[in-house]
Each structure stands twice: as C-alpha cells, then as structure tokens.
Amino acid sequence: MSDCRRQWNREDELPVYLAGPISSGPNQRKSYGMFSSVEGAFDSKTIDFDSYAVGRKGSRTPRSRSRERILDSGDPVEKTPGDAREGSQTNSTGEIDGTGTERGKSLLQGGDGIKLLDGRLLIKGGRVVNDDQSFYADVFIEDGLIMQVGENLVAPAGVKVIEANGRMIIPGGIDVNTCLMKPYLDTQPVDDFLQGTKAALAGGTTMIIDHVTPQPEGSLLEAFERWQEAADKKACCDYSLHVDIPKWNETVKDELEMLVQDKGVNSFQVFMAYNDLYQMTDSELYAALSFLKELGAVVLVHAENGDLVAKEQRKILGMGITGPEGHPLSHPEELEAEAVFRAITLGNRVNCPVYITKVMSKSAADTIAQARRKGSVVFGEPITASLATDGSHYWSKNWAKAAAYVTSPPLSPDPTTLDHLHTLLACGDLQVVGSSHCAYSTSQKAIGRDDFTLIPEGVNGVEERMGFVWDKAVAMGKMDENQFVAVTSTNAAKIFNLYPRKGRIAAGSDADIVIWDPDSVKTITAKLQQSAAEYNIFEGLECRGGPALVLSQGQIVYEGGKLQVQQGTGRFIPRKPFPDFAYQRVKFRNQVKNSQGVTRGMYDGPVYEVPSMPKYITPSPSAKTSPTSHQPPPIRNLHQSNFSLSGAQIDDNVPRRSGHRIVAPPGGRSNITSLG
Amino acid sequence: MSYQGKKNIPKITSDRLLIKGGRIVNDDQSFNADIYMEDGLIKQIGDNLIVPGGVKTIEANGKMVIPGGIDIHTRFQKPYRGTTSLDDFAQGTKSALAGGTTMIVDHVFPVPGSSLMEAYDQWKQWADEKACCDYSLHVDITHWDDTVKQEVDHLVKEKGVNSFQVYMAYEDYCQMTNSELYEIFTFLAERGGIAQIHAENGEIISKEQSRMLQIGITGPEGHVLSRPEELEAEAVFRAVTIASQTNCPLYVTRVMSKSAADIISQARKKGNVVFGEPIAASLGTDGTHYWSKNWAKAAYFVTSPPLSPDPTTPDYLNTLLASGDLSVTGSAHCTFSVAQKAIGKDDFTQIPEGVNGVEERMSLIWDKAVTTGKMDENMFVAVTSTNAAKILNLYPRKGRIAVGSDADLVIWDTDAVRTITAKTHQSAAEYNIFEGMELRGAPQVVICQGKIVLEDGNLHVTSGVGRFIPCSPYPDFAYKRIKARKQLAVLRAVPRGMYDGPVSEFSLSRGGTPSASARTSPTKQPVRNLHQSGFSLAGNPAACGPPTPEDLPIRPAGRRIVVPPGGRSNITSLS
C-alpha cells in the first residue's frame, strides 16, 4: 500500500526515509513523562481506528504540512509503530517550512518546540458528536491529528486550551461538490480555491471535493494537474478532486486507470444532460459504468434528460421566453426524475454503485428512495440550494436576482421541496449534502441576458451548507445531531473512502474539528459572506446554528467570526478505489449474480432457411449490435454442418408457406423438440 | 348516428336475430333485456320486443350477453426475414372469433426506410381479402423524417388510423432516440393521435445481449436474461416523461412485468394520460418456461418484452387490471412455427418474437380475474372491449350493447371449462404457450356483424367479410384531458426591464461548441435579434458616459463589480 502512495508523490519519497535519521538533532523532544502515561492510556479509551479502517487496509494516507513542521530526526524510523502506515508524504504544494521529514504519530515528541506548541491543542469540556454517538470528552490535538479523545485529559504546560463549555464538537464538514474552477466560455467563477475554501471554513466545512471539468476534447490528466496545481497554491483547507468525464472513448479509459491508480481519484462524473457537449448515450453510460466499476470508482451522475432539455429549450425560446424563468421551464423536474431512474437502472444492470449529484426535486429524491428500498446501491446528494430555497425566484422581476439562481438541474418551483428533501435526508434515503458552489458574478451571468440557455450555471452554498441543514432539519426536530454529522461529513468520507481519517472525531483522525454553536442566529447576506459573489441566493434568510470555532489541520482558522487562514495550506487528499461503503455489497453481488445457460440437448428439428437477401441485411434488431456473436464457437459449427447434412431435403429449399403446420418434420420427430 | 358508417357494410344481407332472456352486461351496468338485431346493427333493446315474424331467436337462458371482445394488439401475417408469421388474417381472425373476440386491431409494420402508406395499403389488402371479423389498423413508425410526418398526417386525416406505435427497443433497426420520440409525440398530440410505445431500453439490451452471447448463453433463456424487467420499467418511465412533456396521450403496449405496471399506475396517480396494455401471455403465464429443457418449448415463449420469470406477475397484473390502473388487454398474437423459431437455435437474438393469445385472451381474464373475485363482470367488459373502443374512438359503435351499435355480441358461458391445447386451438401454431391450462368461462355463442359465427362449438366463418373500421382522431377518452391541459399550460415570460448592467466578455467561437444550447437553437427569433442590437447600442461605452479604461477589458474573476459602468440601475441592483 505504501507503493501506491509513493506513486502519488514521487519526488520526495527518498528524502523521507533517508534524510530522516540524518537530519540534525535540535528537534529532540524533551518532556516524555506526562505524555508517555497518556500515551498508554488512550488505547483503551478511544477507538482503535486502524483495526476498523475499512477499505484502507491500515494505510494512513499521507499527511504533509503540519507534520512536516516537526523534525524528529532523533528517533530511528523503525521504532515508531505508526511508521509502516505512514509511508511517504505528500509534498506537492508550495511548502511553508519545507523541513520535510516526517515520522510516526505515536509519540508526542519532536523538536522545534515553538512550532510544536502551535500545533498542540486541547479542547476541554466539549460533547463529542460523531455519526454514531455523542459523549463528553476532551480532545487533544497535535500536529494536525487527533491524538487522544478521553475524559479529563491533562494538558501539558504551554498547550493552548480551548474551553468548549459543553458545546458540541463535531467533525469538520466535507463538501462533496464544489466547482471552484469550472470554466464557462473563457470566464472563471469568481470564487476560486482561495475564496471558496475561505467560505467553506467560515461555514464549518474543513474539506471540499472539487470537480475537475476537462474540455470535451481535452485530456483528463492535464486538466487534473491544472486543478491540482491551482488548488495547491490557493486552497486553505484540505481538498480532493472528482474528475468529470466529458466524452467516452479509448483514450479516456487509459487516463481513468492512471487517475485511479496513481493520482488518488476514486470518483468520476458522467453527464446525462448537456446535449452535444458532455452528454453520453445509454450505451456509452453502460460502457463507462462497466469500466469504472472494474476500477472501483464511484460514478457520479448528473441526471437530466439532455435530449428533452434541448427540445424544451428550443420550444421555450420559440415562445419568446428568454429570461431566467425559461431555465426551470425547460428543465422540468420530471426530466430529472426520468434520468435518475435510468441511471439507477444502468447501475443495477452493471452492478455498479451510482451517486446522483444535485438532487433538486421531490420526484428525483423519491425515485432514489424507492430504488434504495429495492436494494439498489445508489446515493443521493441534495445541495444547499435545494435544501434551503426554491425555484420561485426564477420569476423575480429583477433579472440579476433571477439569474443568480440558475443551476442545473434547476431549483424546483415547488416550495414544499426543501422540506421533503430534509425529511429524506433525516431518514437516510439521501446520504450527503453538497453545495455545488459555483459562483459567477452578475456580469458573467449577463452573458445570457437575451437567452437563458447561455446563463452560466451555478449557485453559492459552500458557506451556508452546514448552517441550513442544522436550521431546517435539526432545529426543526427532523434530524438528530448524529445524523447531522453523518450527512454533512461522515457519509461523504465513507462514500469517497476518506473514513475514518476524515468524518470522525477519534484518535488518529485528522484534526478537522468544528465547535458548533446551535444557538447562534445569523442573517445571510452577501455583505457579510466570504464568497466574492455579488448576490447570495439565501439573501435575508435567517439561519440558526453555526460554527463557533473551526480547526483545520489542527490550526484554529475561524473563531468568533474571524477567519485566519493561510493560502496554500490545503493538502490534496488522495483517495483509494473500492470504498467499502459502496463496494462491499457490489462485490458480494458479483459473486452471486452469475447467469447460467440451460444445458439442453441439441435442437435437431427443422430450421427455416433464412434467405440471404440484401434487403434483409438488418432484419434482426441484434444482428448488428452483436457482431462478435456471428463467429460461432466450434461446437456450433459442428452443429450447423450436422444439420445441413442430415436436414437437407429437396423440399427444404422451398420456403414453407406461412400457416403450414409441420407435423412430421423431415428426419422424423425427435424427442427434444416434440411439443406434445 | 353518423359513426355507423353504413356505406361500409354492403355485404351484409338482411339478417335478423333476436336474443331472448339474456343479461346484458355493459361496462357500466348489467340488466336483463332482449336484443333485436337487423342488418348487423342492434335495433332494439328491451323487454317484450315487437319484432317481425320469422326471426331467428336465440335463447340465452339468463346467460351474460356481452359486447364482443376487441383485441387491440395483433400481428397477423407479420413478415420476418423473408417468412411471415403462421397465422394470417384468416387463421388469426378465426382464432379471435373462437375466443369471443369480434374485432382485432393489427399492427402495420413498415420496414424501416420504406413508405408507411405502402405498408398500410399492403396490410389493408391482406386483411380485406382474408379477415373474418371487423378490423382496424395501427401503424408502426419505424423511422422518422419529414416524409413520414406527411404520411402520418395523411393516415390520420384520410385513412382512419389514429394510433401509431414507436419503438424504444431494437437498436439500429427501428429504435427511436429521445429527441425523435419527443418530435413524434409532439406531432401526434397536434394531430389527435395516440402514441403507442414499445417500451424497452434498446441500447442496454444490445449490450446485455452481446454479454450473454459472450459468456456462452445462446438458448432462449438468454432472451429473458438480456431483457430484464428493469429495462422495461425504465423505458416506460422515460416514455411517460416524454409524453407528459409533450402533452400527448401515451399507450404502453405489452406490459409484461410488475415494475412496468407499477410505473404506469404511479404515473396515472400523478395525473398523466397513460394507458397500459397487458397481453394474454403476461396475464396467463410467466417466464419460467424460458429455462425449459425443451428448446422448442422455450423458444415458443420468446416475445419482447419477455415474460417475467417472477411467477407472481400474472396475478399482480390481473389485480392492476381490475383496479383500472391498466386499461386494456391485447394478445400481441404473432405465431411462428418451430422451424421458424429455429432460425435462432444457436443464437437467441435471432429467434423470431411472438406468442399466441388471441383465442385465449377473454377466457384467461375471466378465469384469472373474474372467477377469483378480483374483477366484476362490468370491468371484464371494460378491459376486454369497451376501453379499447374508447381509445380507438369507436365507442359506442363497438364495445357496447346499445341501440345503434354494431351487432358484435357474445353470449358468455361462465361455467364452461376447457383445457387449452395446441391440438384443439384454431391457430396454426404447433404449440400453445398456455398448453394444459384449464380455463373457466368461454363464449357459447358469438355473433359478428349480426351473424352467428360460433354456436354449439361449431365455427362458421367466411373469409373476407371483415370490414376495415376507420378510427377518427382525438378520441375523447384520451384527449378531453389533453385539450383542457393545453389551455392551462400556456407559458408566459416575465416582463422585465432590460438588463443594463455589465456583461462579461465571452467568445462563443472558441472551443467548438462551448455552449450546450448554442447549437440547439439555431433559429434565432427576430425578437431576440432586435434585443441584441438594442443592447449593443445601450451598452456602447460612448453612450454610457465615460468608462474607466480598466473596466473595458475582461474583468478578472473574483472581482466584485460594485460600481458598474453607467452607474447602478434599479433593475439590476441586488441589495
């Protein structure tokens, strides 16, 4: 497993191991005493993650930045128990202090005292809320990792202590759907990785997964690298990347394989919409799903019937409707539900997990819920916008306001939609919440001022995501706090194979932690938001619940309404294929679902001779589609020759009249074909 | 009574018949009355009718008298690779009459690329020569272009066809894309036609077929394995969506599985105008026979969509039929001999598709639904006859016992029991997929065009007496709701002032097709052109006052435009 990781960051694998012991000694740690006792204690108190670490096979994915600040050359590498798992490190980004050595997590030691103190934190007196349970405990953090979770932890001198005063301590949110660099007609969204991740952190989200959107003819790998480079420079929190597949062909296959195996991408998006641009036919989807399933990837589906959308768009434009209201009119929710249904059918046929991005309407959500009841492996992701507002704003008299809501699938004009989606989210029929944050300025939106089909699609929501789920679901009594953690963080980590590194508060997990204040009330407005967009689609909505303090990689990045972030500190978090949450069932089904033929005697009755007339070249629907089937295996050749010998009667050449009953076929009735 | 079309019935001589003492069962009520028929029409209904002397009288003895069945889906004489199906119009209509069905609606199947009109004429000629009972025709649309459009228009207006079938299966042959379906449905909705749909996802099927063949499954079980019922349900769902978008009545032919039926009933609950047609095979038997060790038997069950291997399917479909979620029943009767089926002995995809059922249809439904208490006799009449007549716009000429209706009647014997077997059936097929089934309920007397064709178990039919019954467009049963919705569903634009804020510069030319929709709307409306020119004037920096120079080039992303050039205008202000 460390092999895999080594491929992700080839450039520094050697220095890690070789330079470690050599580098000098100022980093020796001093105070063993207090922490060694604690060290022994936490094993029994907190969950031992790696024994549970489903799908990760004990591999601790690399961490770089915070760890690299510590120089611990003093200890031989072999001694540290965590080492085997630690493997190499990611150092793909502009490093801050670049000291570059790393070591196991087990001992709270390491040189460079000042920096280390910065990296140590104790949160006292909080209620830790995970997706499965809540309990009172202190959380000790060092080097960007949670070292201990337990009662009455004693803080060593100089460690910063945060008093939680009984407030909730939850794993930082994971926003599984952002588009911070999605190009549209040469323009980029106003929120780039810096603005976007700042907004995320301000809302209690400590990790984002962004969509790489290559051009239809472009290379996936190149696009991926471009995105990674941009994010490494700018991102303030950890991130990972989905890759969109704009076109299906053989080249893409190789690139996908490389992305999964070497680049740490395990999720790809396919499109059923955007006719003539990204849309795939059912055959292509079938091929893509089959291939991605073999790779162990999660298939994200943008589900809308693109053919019909194109037709409707033309119809609506033909009627003279050119404003943003044409957008929902040409994307009725039925088309979304239809595509969701088709995607699930495809997933079932291929036996591949399907993840529906942007569940915007009741009917699409119901379709997912029904399919889950029938046992399909399907996940649904409503977004902030669909959970907090509705599509009635498309009819706003203010063009710019109406245009700000344009996204695909559109917000449903039905105002009861959000309530319904929250209910399904609370009962587990929908699993994760994204934001699909993709903010364009009004002047960019105005590209489509005369034609709604040209309005760049995207809404904001990365900052408001956690707050609105709390406000609309938990504060309303639909959902408990554990389910809140599940839908905002844990499920996402599980589906995308980040669990338990992310999405959980436990010893060994990343120190992405939020102290949640359920009572804070704020009014959403573009004036106070982090995003650079001029308009916030939630403008004026009141939202109960919000982060009081946010820790990202063990650093306080948000406290009391103030954001202190450092550009470029976000690390790319690679993800391995075959997440158990999605693939365990699929694997078992693979074994069970084997079709078998019936062993029969050979049919030896008469066969109607098919005249080989050119007119009937494609009379059978399948003749064309299964060209390989026409090279019969040897046994069938024998068969055929067998027949032509024994069955060649003179009158066989005369095509039988229709309505002719063959009572005594030439060669006599044989048992195998008798029908009586 | 213009619908009687008297000019169409020259052959009928003055036949007079009186049915005494029967219980008339229509789809709405049952009552005891006598029926007097003359010239192929029902002339009087009531007690103690005054009739001319010398009339032949049939004593019904309290038995049910029902409107003759209408089999809304048959494929007699269907060409397949140089051969035709066994039962032609003579044999097929004979089977129909023997089972109590007095009218059939056959599908005209033009080879893709050929003319619909020619195919229609061909079918009509075959049927006029041979049919023993009245018939009508659906026309299948196997390809779609402007010529076909004109032909469809002509067929609707001049030729008495109001229903057209399209295919979502049979990739590379007659499958239609979603866009084509949308166009066809839109067109049919304008012309008052019914869109019939063969609902299966053809693309996935062909993938599954090649997969099956690859893993060495070549027998008939491959047929059902490569066409799982999900694909049927998926296509039904899609068809319902398209129909609802285009506001076109939808008719799903051959509902074979529970999940497809569920989708239809859900759609009906949501208010969609959709009709489902289970067939005799799906109501009477299941797909376990595909795994029969006997190749010929297994091949005999091959039809598309396939029979569901789930043995509870027939019961479920009968329940939905009884509750009204499924509307009509057909048979999709299309039989091939074993030798013809054996074309696909080494490759199941080559097996000609089709099952029998025209003769067994009525009895099957009686046995499975009425005698089990699921359905009452009125509903029985509705699903076997009346609903079909309504959809085809033939009601009340067909599908009802009323004064003025055609004299197509059946005296139904609820107690008769017969065992289905290929030895005694009328069809030319060597095997009957219902072989060995005991069915209660059978026609005792069948009267077609006012003549007795079945009495005491003897069939007296004459080839060529069947008339073509033209169907007129806009059947009320389907279109009343559609018309009302059309008036409601007028979309209106929001009247806004023009957006006069800043616009990002962009290039449409770069990257080929950067906008999803730029291509799909090539016909720009004049109104938009005006609009654009209007803007280019207003947005002209010279007209808008002095712009700061850095505002003119492309704005960097992430830049907030607080003071747009030309000042903030009310219409675009966001606060």
Side-chain angles (χ1 to χ4, degrees):
Chain A
M1 46 93 215
S2 62
D3 293 341
C4 294
R5 239 169 313 118
R6 216 165 288 158
Q7 287 168 316
W8 292 329
N9 34 147
R10 294 184 179 108
E11 67 270 26
D12 351 25
E13 53 193 30
L14 266 187
V16 172
Y17 294 111
L18 297 182
I22 301 165
S23 44
S24 58
N27 314 315
Q28 303 253 352
R29 59 151 290 127
K30 287 110 203 168
S31 57
Y32 275 98
M34 185 180 303
F35 278 93
S36 38
S37 61
V38 175
E39 166 66 27
F42 82 70
D43 282 340
S44 51
K45 275 189 185 168
T46 55
I47 299 167
D48 175 14
F49 261 94
D50 296 311
S51 65
Y52 290 100
V54 284
R56 299 182 52 190
K57 313 279 186 274
S59 76
R60 171 74 49 218
T61 30
R63 345 181 148 239
S64 52
R65 202 124 313 126
S66 51
R67 177 173 316 280
E68 285 148 15
R69 297 196 189 107
I70 313 153
L71 291 179
D72 99 295
S73 44
D75 287 348
V77 177
E78 303 82 47
K79 273 190 196 167
T80 61
D83 226 356
R85 297 178 316 213
E86 287 302 323
S88 62
Q89 66 176 54
T90 358
N91 192 9
S92 40
T93 67
E95 187 43 67
I96 297 168
D97 65 1
T99 39
T101 332
E102 74 144 32
R103 39 147 295 143
K105 61 164 188 196
S106 62
L107 297 179
L108 300 178
Q109 53 185 353
D112 205 317
I114 304 149
K115 280 187 176 167
L116 200 143
L117 282 181
D118 282 345
R120 298 199 308 195
L121 260 178
L122 182 65
I123 304 174
K124 276 195 86 72
R127 194 154 53 90
V128 173
V129 179
N130 275 326
D131 68 321
D132 53 347
Q133 58 173 351
S134 313
F135 53 93
Y136 285 94
D138 301 343
V139 180
F140 182 74
I141 295 155
E142 185 175 352
D143 301 341
L145 289 183
I146 297 171
M147 283 302 173
Q148 265 185 284
V149 179
E151 288 176 42
N152 302 320
L153 299 183
V154 183
V159 166
K160 176 167 175 153
V161 175
I162 299 167
E163 286 292 341
N165 293 326
R167 281 178 297 184
M168 289 167 53
I169 302 178
I170 59 174
I174 300 175
D175 189 337
V176 286
N177 186 350
T178 63
C179 300
L180 300 178
M181 227 177 102
K182 185 182 173 189
Y184 179 79
L185 300 176
D186 298 347
T187 67
Q188 297 272 333
V190 290
D191 284 341
D192 58 2
F193 276 104
L194 174 63
Q195 289 291 345
T197 52
K198 263 166 81 177
L201 288 170
T205 296
T206 54
M207 175 172 183
I208 59 157
I209 310 184
D210 201 71
H211 277 274
V212 175
T213 44
Q215 289 301 310
E217 306 298 337
S219 153
L220 266 56
L221 270 174
E222 278 170 24
F224 171 80
E225 276 156 13
R226 226 172 43 242
W227 253 257
Q228 202 183 17
E229 197 188 336
D232 280 341
K233 273 189 204 138
K234 292 182 178 168
C236 314
C237 68
D238 287 352
Y239 71 96
S240 192
L241 295 171
H242 306 294
V243 176
D244 296 358
I245 305 176
K247 245 196 172 91
W248 186 249
N249 53 38
E250 290 302 313
T251 344
V252 167
K253 275 188 182 176
D254 296 339
E255 290 191 315
L256 289 177
E257 215 165 331
M258 203 175 297
L259 283 168
V260 169
Q261 274 154 19
D262 301 344
K263 300 290 183 185
V265 177
N266 75 358
S267 48
F268 299 93
Q269 174 152 340
V270 293
F271 294 89
M272 298 170 84
Y274 304 112
N275 202 355
D276 292 338
L277 191 62
Y278 300 124
Q279 188 178 328
M280 290 192 193
T281 65
D282 289 354
S283 310
E284 285 168 340
L285 287 170
Y286 186 98
L289 261 61
S290 311
F291 185 77
L292 290 171
K293 175 202 162 192
E294 298 300 320
L295 293 178
V298 179
V299 184
L300 318 180
V301 180
H302 177 118
E304 270 186 301
N305 190 319
D307 291 337
L308 298 190
V309 167
K311 290 277 176 196
E312 292 284 324
Q313 281 179 336
R314 206 189 308 183
K315 189 174 97 187
I316 301 282
L317 284 174
M319 295 165 75
I321 299 177
T322 57
E325 70 276 13
H327 184 71
L329 290 175
S330 59
H331 291 72
E333 71 174 71
E334 282 182 299
L335 304 191
E336 187 190 350
E338 187 279 315
V340 168
F341 196 95
R342 189 147 42 101
I344 293 170
T345 307
L346 276 157
N348 287 347
R349 282 333 297 157
V350 179
N351 191 20
C352 172
V354 172
Y355 177 102
I356 309 290
T357 61
K358 295 199 254 190
V359 175
M360 305 299 276
S361 66
K362 281 164 122 175
S363 40
D366 285 341
T367 308
I368 292 171
Q370 270 173 28
R372 288 178 65 85
R373 236 157 269 152
K374 285 184 189 155
S376 305
V377 184
V378 54
F379 306 105
E381 169 210 282
I383 65 170
T384 321
S386 59
L387 289 170
T389 184
D390 61 58
S392 53
H393 304 282
Y394 290 116
W395 280 265
S396 164
K397 290 273 185 193
N398 181 331
W399 189 91
K401 182 182 171 190
Y405 288 84
V406 170
T407 186
S408 275
L411 288 158
S412 168
D414 178 353
T416 61
T417 303
L418 45 135
D419 204 48
H420 188 74
L421 292 182
H422 277 292
T423 308
L424 292 189
L425 200 57
C427 75
D429 280 349
L430 299 172
Q431 289 73 40
V432 284
V433 182
S435 69
S436 190
H437 188 92
C438 183
Y440 289 103
S441 68
T442 299
S443 65
Q444 286 172 320
K445 291 268 183 187
I447 290 171
R449 74 193 184 288
D450 299 324
D451 178 351
F452 65 86
T453 63
L454 294 176
I455 299 174
E457 294 171 352
V459 291
N460 63 301
V462 69
E463 185 174 350
E464 298 82 4
R465 187 178 69 100
M466 308 266 289
F468 274 120
V469 176
W470 185 272
D471 180 72
K472 307 258 179 210
V474 187
M476 303 295 285
K478 278 183 196 286
M479 193 187 271
D480 61 22
E481 56 193 24
N482 302 101
Q483 180 71 4
F484 172 74
V485 169
V487 299
T488 54
S489 176
T490 311
N491 288 348
K494 285 179 177 169
I495 292 173
F496 296 107
N497 225 357
L498 296 162
Y499 189 80
R501 179 177 176 182
K502 302 280 186 191
R504 187 169 185 90
I505 295 183
S509 297
D510 277 2
D512 288 351
I513 292 176
V514 172
I515 298 184
W516 190 257
D517 181 358
D519 302 319
S520 80
V521 177
K522 69 168 174 175
T523 306
I524 308 288
T525 164
K527 293 186 189 93
L528 300 175
Q529 71 186 2
Q530 293 297 328
S531 161
E534 295 136 290
Y535 185 75
N536 190 312
I537 59 166
F538 311 108
E539 190 78 36
L541 289 179
E542 265 197 6
C543 180
R544 261 164 303 173
L549 181 135
V550 180
L551 289 179
S552 171
Q553 301 176 16
Q555 306 284 326
I556 298 174
V557 291
Y558 180 85
E559 190 175 12
K562 284 201 189 99
L563 204 56
Q564 305 156 328
V565 296
Q566 203 174 353
Q567 185 171 349
T569 51
R571 300 164 299 179
F572 174 72
I573 311 286
R575 295 171 289 136
K576 301 182 86 179
F578 293 107
D580 272 0
F581 197 60
Y583 268 92
Q584 214 163 43
R585 285 175 286 172
V586 166
K587 279 178 195 162
F588 279 104
R589 287 178 197 187
N590 267 347
Q591 292 161 11
V592 182
K593 266 193 179 174
N594 278 331
S595 310
Q596 273 176 347
V598 175
T599 41
R600 294 188 179 89
M602 291 201 229
Y603 174 85
D604 52 1
V607 178
Y608 183 86
E609 298 258 348
V610 181
S612 55
M613 281 186 284
K615 187 179 157 197
Y616 287 101
I617 271 175
T618 56
S620 148
S622 53
K624 261 193 169 175
T625 58
S626 56
T628 48
S629 65
H630 292 294
Q631 297 124 26
I635 184 164
R636 282 203 277 144
N637 270 333
L638 279 172
H639 219 350
Q640 281 182 328
S641 66
N642 188 10
F643 167 75
S644 63
L645 282 172
S646 68
Q649 306 289 324
I650 297 166
D651 62 329
D652 263 5
N653 301 330
V654 186
R656 263 177 209 84
R657 274 183 299 120
S658 64
H660 188 129
R661 207 187 282 210
I662 299 168
V663 181
R669 263 184 172 242
S670 82
N671 224 7
I672 203 85
T673 55
S674 83
L675 286 164
Chain B
M1 300 264 168
S2 59
Y3 56 80
Q4 289 169 8
K6 280 189 176 132
K7 58 178 187 282
N8 281 334
I9 43 171
K11 289 172 194 159
I12 291 184
T13 51
S14 175
D15 275 290
R16 293 167 178 182
L17 261 178
L18 180 67
I19 299 178
K20 273 191 91 72
R23 194 155 57 90
I24 296 175
V25 180
N26 275 326
D27 69 321
D28 53 347
Q29 59 171 351
S30 311
F31 54 96
N32 289 314
D34 301 343
I35 305 168
Y36 173 68
M37 289 161 270
E38 196 178 320
D39 296 336
L41 294 179
I42 297 171
K43 292 288 185 192
Q44 293 179 57
I45 292 175
D47 294 330
N48 307 319
L49 298 177
I50 300 158
V51 296
V55 166
K56 177 167 170 134
T57 306
I58 302 167
E59 284 295 338
N61 293 325
K63 289 211 164 67
M64 284 167 55
V65 183
I66 59 173
I70 300 176
D71 189 336
I72 197 164
H73 187 165
T74 65
R75 289 175 182 275
F76 297 146
Q77 238 167 306
K78 186 192 177 192
Y80 178 79
R81 312 184 81 176
T83 169
T84 52
S85 61
L86 279 186
D87 290 326
D88 59 7
F89 276 97
Q91 203 76 29
T93 50
K94 216 172 129 186
S95 304
L97 288 169
T101 297
T102 54
M103 176 173 181
I104 58 124
V105 190
D106 205 72
H107 277 268
V108 175
F109 186 88
V111 175
S114 66
S115 156
L116 265 57
M117 285 305 304
E118 280 170 27
Y120 167 84
D121 290 337
Q122 176 69 68
W123 254 259
K124 193 157 179 297
Q125 187 195 333
W126 284 338
D128 282 338
E129 277 166 15
K130 292 181 180 167
C132 315
C133 67
D134 289 351
Y135 72 95
S136 189
L137 295 172
H138 307 292
V139 176
D140 294 0
I141 299 177
T142 48
H143 66 291
W144 184 247
D145 53 37
D146 282 338
T147 335
V148 175
K149 222 175 182 176
Q150 283 163 15
E151 288 185 320
V152 169
D153 195 38
H154 187 65
L155 284 167
V156 171
K157 285 186 180 143
E158 312 285 337
K159 298 292 183 181
V161 178
N162 76 352
S163 43
F164 296 85
Q165 176 161 349
V166 287
Y167 294 83
M168 297 170 85
Y170 305 110
E171 200 185 18
D172 294 334
Y173 186 52
C174 50
Q175 183 179 325
M176 296 288 157
T177 65
N178 292 338
S179 313
E180 285 167 336
L181 290 173
Y182 185 95
E183 283 171 24
I184 294 171
F185 285 14
T186 312
F187 185 76
L188 289 177
E190 282 166 12
R191 296 295 186 275
I194 305 275
Q196 298 190 318
I197 190 93
H198 177 117
E200 275 184 299
N201 189 316
E203 293 187 30
I204 306 183
I205 286 173
S206 65
K207 292 272 180 190
E208 293 276 314
Q209 280 179 337
S210 31
R211 191 169 69 93
M212 288 300 152
L213 290 171
Q214 219 163 32
I215 60 178
I217 297 178
T218 57
E221 69 276 12
H223 180 73
V224 64
L225 288 174
S226 62
R227 305 178 102 101
E229 70 174 71
E230 283 182 295
L231 303 190
E232 188 190 348
E234 188 279 315
V236 171
F237 197 101
R238 187 148 39 103
V240 167
T241 306
I242 300 174
S244 130
Q245 277 314 301
T246 51
N247 201 15
C248 175
L250 181 73
Y251 177 106
V252 180
T253 62
R254 291 195 261 199
V255 176
M256 305 299 276
S257 66
K258 285 163 121 174
S259 37
D262 277 340
I263 303 282
I264 292 172
S265 62
Q266 269 174 32
R268 287 174 67 89
K269 262 163 221 146
K270 284 185 195 153
N272 292 328
V273 183
V274 51
F275 306 103
E277 168 211 278
I279 64 170
S282 60
L283 292 168
T285 182
D286 61 58
T288 52
H289 303 282
Y290 291 114
W291 280 267
S292 164
K293 289 274 184 193
N294 182 331
W295 188 92
K297 183 182 168 190
Y300 245 87
F301 285 83
V302 170
T303 186
S304 284
L307 288 158
S308 167
D310 178 351
T312 60
T313 304
D315 199 50
Y316 192 79
L317 293 182
N318 277 301
T319 307
L320 289 191
L321 198 58
S323 72
D325 280 352
L326 299 173
S327 314
V328 287
T329 53
S331 67
H333 188 92
C334 181
T335 50
F336 290 97
S337 69
V338 173
Q340 287 170 320
K341 290 269 183 189
I343 291 171
K345 72 184 165 52
D346 301 323
D347 177 354
F348 64 87
T349 64
Q350 310 291 318
I351 300 173
E353 294 170 353
V355 292
N356 63 298
V358 69
E359 185 175 350
E360 298 81 5
R361 187 180 64 104
M362 306 266 289
S363 294
L364 263 174
I365 295 165
W366 186 269
D367 182 76
K368 302 271 177 196
V370 186
T371 60
T372 54
K374 282 183 197 289
M375 192 188 271
D376 60 25
E377 56 194 24
N378 303 99
M379 196 64 187
F380 173 73
V381 169
V383 298
T384 54
S385 174
T386 311
N387 287 350
K390 286 179 177 170
I391 289 174
L392 293 166
N393 221 356
L394 298 172
Y395 187 82
R397 178 176 177 183
K398 301 280 185 190
R400 187 169 184 89
I401 299 179
V403 175
S405 298
D406 278 3
D408 289 350
L409 300 179
V410 172
I411 299 180
W412 191 258
D413 184 353
T414 54
D415 302 322
V417 176
R418 59 178 176 153
T419 307
I420 306 294
T421 163
K423 293 187 187 87
T424 57
H425 71 192
Q426 296 296 328
S427 159
E430 295 138 288
Y431 184 74
N432 191 310
I433 59 165
F434 308 107
E435 191 79 35
M437 222 176 258
E438 256 193 17
L439 298 181
R440 260 164 304 173
Q444 189 178 35
V445 176
V446 177
I447 296 163
C448 181
Q449 299 177 359
K451 284 184 190 153
I452 300 173
V453 290
L454 177 78
E455 196 178 18
D456 306 327
N458 299 319
L459 209 53
H460 320 278
V461 298
T462 324
S463 241
V465 298
R467 301 163 297 179
F468 174 73
I469 312 285
C471 306
S472 50
Y474 295 108
D476 274 354
F477 195 57
Y479 267 90
K480 249 186 192 155
R481 285 175 286 171
I482 297 281
K483 281 179 192 162
R485 285 175 201 189
K486 247 180 209 160
Q487 290 162 3
L488 281 181
V490 176
L491 302 176
R492 282 195 193 85
V494 176
R496 293 188 181 91
M498 283 207 252
Y499 174 85
D500 52 2
V503 180
S504 272
E505 303 222 356
F506 64 100
S507 63
L508 271 175
S509 54
R510 229 181 81 177
T513 55
S515 149
S517 52
R519 270 189 157 182
T520 57
S521 55
T523 51
K524 287 212 169 185
Q525 278 71 40
V527 63
R528 281 199 282 142
N529 275 333
L530 279 172
H531 227 345
Q532 279 183 330
S533 68
F535 167 75
S536 65
L537 283 172
N540 191 336
C544 282
T548 41
E550 65 266 28
D551 270 336
L552 284 176
I554 301 168
R555 270 176 205 87
R559 175 142 185 197
R560 209 184 281 208
I561 297 165
V562 183
V563 187
R568 264 181 173 245
S569 82
N570 224 6
I571 201 86
T572 55
S573 83
L574 286 165
S575 40

